[in-house]
Amino acid sequence: MRGKRTAVVAIGGNSLIKDEKNPTVEHQYESARETCMHIADMIEQGWEVTITHGNGPQVGFILRRSEIAAKVAGMHEVPLDVCGADSQGALGYALQQNLQNILYQRGIRKNVATIITQTLVDKDDPAFRNPTKPIGSFMTKEEAQKRIEENGWSVIEDANRGYRRVVPSPIPKEIVELETIQTLISHGIVTITTGGGGIPVIDPGDGNYRGVAAVIDKDYASSLLARTLQVDLFVISTAVEKVALFYGTPKQKWIDRLSCAEAKGLLTEGIHFAKGSMAPKIQSIIWYLEAVPHGKALITNPENLGRALKGETGTWFVP
Ligand code: ADP
Ligand code: MG
């Protein structure tokens, strides 16, 4: 891309929440601002950046509001794909406005745009037959039964806490808005895209995309984007400065650098990287490195992004 160094930077949904007990919009805006400062540094250093972000906690809040509003005031419920779209809009707004402000303050004439992004999944993905991702509040047995019968939900029983809806987490196949994203990037516009892994859509066979009640792993979808764009660098910005071996145990050891083969070996061991948090990040990076021969990947937290890019910290993944 015009000889510039290109990067996809995936921002963790959890890393945008400063205080778990008090997750206000203002706090999230402030976290977004801090992360955007570090991304603006990258842009200033000549990186052509495309931003993606998670939305797990945020969709949790949207769903909770929807549930309460339905119970208390008889309001309509918000379907999961629409929760995803809402979160892309709200998080995109926080990131877009902050980054735009920071760039203008620094005299960088660059535009920032958020793309509502759909991610195509295979309607026959095995995940649809085996929904595993719990979402929404816990329910009583009666509520669960009603949901199964009336709404066709899949529900699991949690030994102590009650019943909970589960949805499939299919593998992302294609970013529907890819051409739009590429067009914007080629005009030097910083795009915020594939929020929350993108809104999952299927093609029922007639070419008319349709949203589905599923969740897409944002790390997998960010990897797909990084692979498709063949960017030079794939950054996963999360809540830890580095990845560790034996994470959270007395044997914990921070990792500075891994080859793709080493990362694969450690992932297979199955004890180092927690399922649902670090493991999908490592898998995403492996897929990216296998598809982009010149690629490098980095996991660190927003505040250390600058130092990590200088090679001073973070966990680096190399071919
Ligand atoms: P995000 O919203 O950025 O996707 P996650 O909570 O899903 O954040 O994943 C990042 C978290 O993974 C870290 O904050 C850390 O608590 C956890 N984690 C699990 N295994 C490891 C590991 N081996 N090294 C570092 N962090 C790990
Ligand atoms: Mg995560």
Side-chain angles (χ1 to χ4, degrees), residues 14 218-219 276-277 281:
N14 291 299
K218 79 107 188 1
D219 296 312
S277 60
K281 297 188 198 310

Side-chain angles (χ1 to χ4, degrees), residues 11-56:
I11 303 170
N14 291 299
S15 78
L16 288 175
I17 294 186
K18 277 191 120 40
D19 177 359
E20 269 175 47
K21 293 198 189 71
N22 188 17
T24 63
V25 169
E26 290 74 17
H27 281 166
Q28 182 161 281
Y29 189 82
E30 186 52 28
S31 299
R33 196 182 69 85
E34 281 171 24
T35 300
C36 286
M37 290 282 224
H38 304 297
I39 293 177
D41 292 343
M42 272 184 90
I43 293 169
E44 212 164 6
Q45 286 158 24
W47 286 96
E48 189 91 72
V49 177
T50 302
I51 300 170
T52 69
H53 61 82
N55 69 353

Side-chain angles (χ1 to χ4, degrees), residues 12-14 218 238-240 242-244 247 272-274 276-278 281:
N14 291 299
K218 79 107 188 1
T238 187
V240 281
K242 294 183 187 186
V243 180
Y247 182 72
H272 301 288
F273 315 127
S277 60
M278 191 50 75
K281 297 188 198 310

